[in-house]
Amino acid sequence: MTSQKVQLKNKVTDADGDKSTLTFEVWTADAAGNPLKKVSISDNEWGVIVSPYVASGSTVTVDVPVGKLALNTNYVFHTSAFDGSLYETEWSPWAKFRVELPVDLTLPTPDYSAPDPTSLLDGQNSFTEHLTIEPGQQIPPAFREINFGGGAPVPGVVYAA
């Protein structure tokens, strides 16, 4: 994934039931959600996104253009409504968010052409591959006996660790 899509949402309500726009303003924030510095999220002179007119009681969703917000950064936003003649006298409460790319946890497709691992076992639940030690040689530390099924280790058979 090379880009992120950030959507901001809030509900707009007008006391007279008039259609209204909603202005979205974003700031960087500290870990506690306190605003630090205003961020320009559009190319207009105010750096804000203004929604189209919507019915009172509607939830407004706006898309922040890619590249306007940095990854791994804390932000807050608030909104202000305008019904065509009056602006809200106060901004909405701050809402916190953080931009992070999701981690892709998709597992690879299994290789069904690979051999069945149980085909490597002999009839005694031991792998058929053995390490040969010549007389006088020490067993390399990377090798040890393996016990399958809770029984005693297979005597005299050494397996790769």
Side-chain angles (χ1 to χ4, degrees), residues 4 20 30 43 56-57 68 77-78 96 104 108 116 123 134 143 145 147 149 153:
Q4 73 277 3
S20 299
D30 62 19
D43 294 331
S56 179
K68 295 293 186 181
F77 79 94
H78 58 183
K96 298 187 285 186
D104 183 1
D116 179 357
E134 298 294 328
F143 289 84
E145 291 185 338
N147 175 353

Side-chain angles (χ1 to χ4, degrees), residues 70-86:
L71 294 176
N72 303 315
T73 303
N74 296 318
Y75 293 99
V76 290
F77 79 94
H78 58 183
T79 59
S80 178
F82 175 66
D83 68 3
S85 60
L86 296 172

Side-chain angles (χ1 to χ4, degrees), residues 33-68:
N34 299 308
L36 298 174
K37 182 179 177 185
K38 186 177 173 185
V39 177
S40 178
I41 57 171
S42 77
D43 294 331
N44 64 37
E45 64 183 292
W46 303 281
V48 298
I49 295 176
V50 180
S51 75
Y53 280 91
V54 297
S56 179
S58 298
T59 297
V60 176
T61 301
V62 297
D63 294 334
V64 178
V66 172
K68 295 293 186 181

Side-chain angles (χ1 to χ4, degrees), residues 4-144:
Q4 73 277 3
K5 180 178 182 178
V6 177
Q7 292 185 320
L8 304 176
K9 298 179 182 187
N10 204 0
K11 186 174 184 178
V12 61
T13 305
D14 182 77
D16 303 328
D18 296 331
K19 287 186 172 185
S20 299
T21 65
L22 206 53
T23 300
F24 289 79
E25 184 178 72
V26 175
W27 290 58
T28 58
D30 62 19
N34 299 308
L36 298 174
K37 182 179 177 185
K38 186 177 173 185
V39 177
S40 178
I41 57 171
S42 77
D43 294 331
N44 64 37
E45 64 183 292
W46 303 281
V48 298
I49 295 176
V50 180
S51 75
Y53 280 91
V54 297
S56 179
S58 298
T59 297
V60 176
T61 301
V62 297
D63 294 334
V64 178
V66 172
K68 295 293 186 181
L69 302 174
L71 294 176
N72 303 315
T73 303
N74 296 318
Y75 293 99
V76 290
F77 79 94
H78 58 183
T79 59
S80 178
F82 175 66
D83 68 3
S85 60
L86 296 172
Y87 283 95
E88 279 186 317
T89 55
E90 300 208 11
W91 287 84
S92 68
W94 291 106
K96 298 187 285 186
F97 69 100
R98 184 173 171 87
V99 179
E100 295 180 345
L101 287 180
V103 176
D104 183 1
L105 296 177
T106 304
L107 296 175
T109 303
D111 180 3
Y112 293 108
S113 67
D116 179 357
T118 59
S119 69
L120 300 174
L121 296 174
D122 62 21
Q124 300 175 13
N125 289 333
S126 301
F127 283 102
T128 57
E129 298 290 327
H130 300 286
L131 172 67
T132 302
I133 304 292
E134 298 294 328
Q137 280 186 308
Q138 297 292 325
I139 297 175
F143 289 84
R144 62 181 172 84

